[in-house]
Amino acid sequence: MTSFATSPQTRNPSKWLPSRRTAATPTFEICQTPSADSTEAARRRAGQVPLVPSAASAIVEASAARRLPKWRLIFSVFLPFAAGYFLSYLFRTINTLISEPLSADLGLDAGSLGLLTSVYFLSFGAAQIPIGILLDRFGPRRVQSALLLVAALGAALFGASSGFVSLMLARALIGLGVAAALMAGLKAIVLWFPRERVALMNGYMIMLGALGAVTSTRPAEWLLSSAGWRGIFEVLAITTLAAALLIFLAVPERKIAQQAPPAGLRLEVIFTNRRFWQIAPLSASCVGSAWSLQALWAAPWLTDVEGLNREALVTQLFAMTVGICVGAWLLGTIADRLRRRGIGSETLLALVALSFVLAELALILRLPVPSMLPWSVVSVVGAATVLSYATIAEYFPTELAARANGCLNLLHFGWAFAIQSGTGFILQQWPVQDGHYPLIAYQVAFGLSVAVQAAALAWFSVPWIRELGGWIVRTLLHHRSGHEDAVEAIIPPIEISIMEAHECAEW
């Protein structure tokens, strides 16, 4: 009787899963916690994953950092950076509320308003890569506190300006000043928290930051009615200055080795990475469009197309901003749960992008659904950076974390600037009717954005389609091979039949 032993491959089904790594994709050492799974450790010992020269020191430094009490990590690291991101979100979305009184005071048309508000995205995006380098070199504490001083100056200048040029300059200073808000928080999370909790902490960071968008609706409306839009920016200037001091004084300093980066950690490694360019177009086109709609064009649509009055408009904007908070928490939690089951954040990002395209088509085609439903999807997609940043964190080592996020943010805000200013110029091509732009103008502007998102989703899905096609072919071949084996088992070769007959004669 033959005995069969279970092979190691059978006991570990994950080894049978196809690898996503390609020969042309650079590989890096990923700093794992002491609880990293033994399979990855065995691969390192076997030399299958090349080591980054500073990986060992990074592991030691991360281990020392995680010996800090959890309450100290939350109150002295996480919450101060969350406060900075709160202000960043508030500055980004306040335009939706003040667009009407601002346009009335300065006589701005749709094109001028779109350009003025989108300058924030332009300066924000242009600073991403330099800020990423500064964060990797000097750490998030010093960089974030210094830049928030610039944002405070820009807010004070915006509140005191009366001309279009000075307002644009002030808006650009605000964008530059809060350009490191999210990246600094993400960098701090990567430095201080375990890697397997990065997606979850990113979700909490964006959830708390999105409260700034909530503040820019109903609470800001109360302040707007009493102090005007100039008074709002005076309050924001003082609050931003306080946040800069909080981060500088409360966040503990981390010593960062001042050394030349290894040859494998150059910036071009990011821009030549195939997996980066697989996710970047989809993330940028969806997240950037959602930011543009949330930050400005949702209010004109709801007023011109839906016919909402001021009270109903503020209520719906408030509900949308709550959707950002809930979406950030929900996406981060789902990504964390799926990660434990071996499912990457890329799958969830693709589903979110598909939902976003369908929601925009529902608005454009005027489908008979409550407008709150598609606009809620739009607000949730604005928090999909939870998935993008968690995915990027898996592509590159800790030493490149801020720069990789900076490259992705450059595309996020670059597209947000293009689509926000471009929408204004497209709307201007139609004459104003009773103080409102016609539906066809919005349909054309939003439709061009949807076309780009659909193309990016198709590009993102190409590897999956190829893998699915290969799996189908292999299954068919395996089924055919199994059928032939069955026929061979029923009709044995002639030599075996002759031998069996000879053996029977001997018996």
Side-chain angles (χ1 to χ4, degrees):
M1 181 175 179
T2 306
S3 62
F4 297 92
T6 305
S7 64
Q9 288 84 355
T10 305
R11 290 193 299 268
N12 188 5
S14 63
K15 294 186 177 182
W16 292 95
L17 297 177
S19 174
R20 297 176 60 91
R21 194 182 305 277
T22 61
T25 304
T27 57
F28 302 98
E29 166 70 10
I30 295 181
C31 303
Q32 298 282 353
T33 60
S35 61
D37 87 293
S38 58
T39 303
E40 186 69 19
R43 292 180 61 204
R44 291 197 187 103
R45 289 193 297 269
Q48 296 178 14
V49 181
L51 291 175
V52 172
S54 58
S57 60
I59 294 175
V60 174
E61 186 179 12
S63 301
R66 289 162 193 159
R67 285 198 297 266
L68 293 176
K70 291 183 179 180
W71 66 267
R72 185 178 178 187
L73 288 178
I74 296 299
F75 285 98
S76 65
V77 176
F78 179 77
L79 289 180
F81 286 105
Y85 188 49
F86 170 91
L87 291 172
S88 174
Y89 236 119
L90 179 56
F91 278 120
R92 184 193 310 171
T93 56
I94 193 66
N95 299 311
T96 310
L97 188 72
I98 69 170
S99 59
E100 184 176 343
L102 184 65
S103 300
D105 288 350
L106 302 177
L108 302 177
D109 54 23
S112 300
L113 180 63
L115 180 61
L116 172 61
T117 55
S118 63
V119 166
Y120 169 95
F121 292 119
L122 182 63
S123 62
F124 198 118
Q128 290 306 294
I129 294 179
I131 285 176
I133 296 174
L134 292 175
L135 287 172
D136 285 333
R137 182 174 179 82
F138 299 107
R141 170 180 169 269
R142 287 182 284 179
V143 174
Q144 174 71 324
S145 58
L147 286 177
L148 283 180
L149 295 178
V150 178
L153 175 62
L157 179 61
F158 195 93
S161 297
S162 57
F164 183 76
V165 176
S166 59
L167 284 171
M168 284 190 63
L169 176 60
R171 188 69 180 161
L173 287 176
I174 294 174
L176 175 62
V178 297
L182 179 58
M183 289 175 59
L186 297 179
K187 180 68 174 181
I189 289 173
V190 170
L191 287 176
W192 292 92
F193 291 88
R195 179 173 290 272
E196 61 270 15
R197 290 294 177 263
V198 166
L200 185 62
M201 297 308 298
N202 286 353
Y204 289 151
M205 173 72 69
I206 296 179
M207 179 187 70
L208 293 179
L211 291 176
V214 176
T215 308
S216 69
T217 55
R218 182 66 65 184
E221 176 73 6
W222 295 333
L223 184 59
L224 180 65
S225 60
S226 59
W229 63 270
R230 297 184 185 276
I232 290 178
F233 277 87
E234 291 174 359
V235 173
L236 286 176
I238 298 174
T239 306
T240 306
L241 177 61
L245 295 176
L246 173 65
I247 292 175
F248 185 78
L249 297 176
V251 177
E253 185 62 57
R254 292 294 305 275
K255 293 182 179 180
I256 299 179
Q258 303 295 328
Q259 59 183 3
L265 297 183
R266 295 189 300 268
L267 196 62
E268 56 265 28
V269 171
I270 301 172
F271 286 110
T272 56
N273 189 292
R274 290 185 179 182
R275 298 174 72 188
F276 176 83
W277 286 113
Q278 179 188 346
I279 187 177
L282 181 64
S283 182
S285 61
C286 291
V287 173
S289 296
W291 286 350
S292 172
L293 294 173
Q294 183 86 31
L296 181 60
W297 295 117
W301 169 280
L302 294 172
T303 302
D304 296 348
V305 178
E306 304 290 342
L308 300 184
N309 56 29
R310 183 71 179 180
E311 182 68 21
L313 171 65
V314 174
T315 300
Q316 182 145 337
L317 292 177
F318 176 81
M320 290 174 59
T321 55
V322 172
I324 299 177
C325 300
V326 175
W329 169 79
L330 187 63
L331 292 177
T333 302
I334 294 176
D336 184 65
R337 298 288 177 85
L338 292 178
R339 179 189 175 93
R340 297 178 186 179
R341 297 177 178 268
I343 301 176
S345 301
E346 299 98 328
T347 304
L348 185 57
L349 178 63
L351 295 176
V352 170
L354 179 60
S355 301
F356 183 50
V357 171
L358 295 177
E360 290 176 294
L361 288 176
L363 292 173
I364 294 171
L365 300 177
R366 304 294 292 147
L367 298 181
V369 296
S371 63
M372 179 65 73
L373 179 60
W375 281 113
S376 298
V377 175
V378 171
S379 63
V380 171
V381 174
T385 49
V386 173
L387 309 176
S388 304
Y389 297 138
T391 303
I392 290 296
E394 296 297 328
Y395 290 174
F396 302 98
T398 305
E399 291 85 351
L400 270 180
R403 270 170 276 196
N405 285 331
C407 293
L408 185 60
N409 261 349
L410 173 63
L411 300 179
H412 283 161
F413 286 94
W415 177 251
F417 165 77
I419 198 64
Q420 183 164 315
S421 58
T423 298
F425 288 114
I426 291 174
L427 294 180
Q428 272 191 312
Q429 305 309 310
W430 279 264
V432 177
Q433 302 173 0
D434 299 329
H436 304 289
Y437 288 99
L439 172 62
I440 184 62
Y442 288 98
Q443 289 174 325
V444 172
F446 290 7
L448 292 176
S449 177
V450 171
V452 174
Q453 295 156 20
L457 181 58
W459 168 255
F460 181 80
S461 304
V462 166
W464 288 356
I465 295 174
R466 289 178 178 175
E467 185 175 350
L468 178 61
W471 178 82
I472 294 175
V473 171
R474 289 191 300 270
T475 302
L476 293 176
L477 292 177
H478 178 73
H479 177 73
R480 181 178 179 183
S481 175
H483 179 71
E484 292 175 352
D485 292 342
V487 173
E488 292 176 357
I490 296 173
I491 306 177
I494 184 64
E495 295 83 355
I496 298 178
S497 301
I498 294 173
M499 184 179 65
E500 289 177 349
H502 178 69
E503 291 175 349
C504 292
E506 289 182 351
W507 280 101

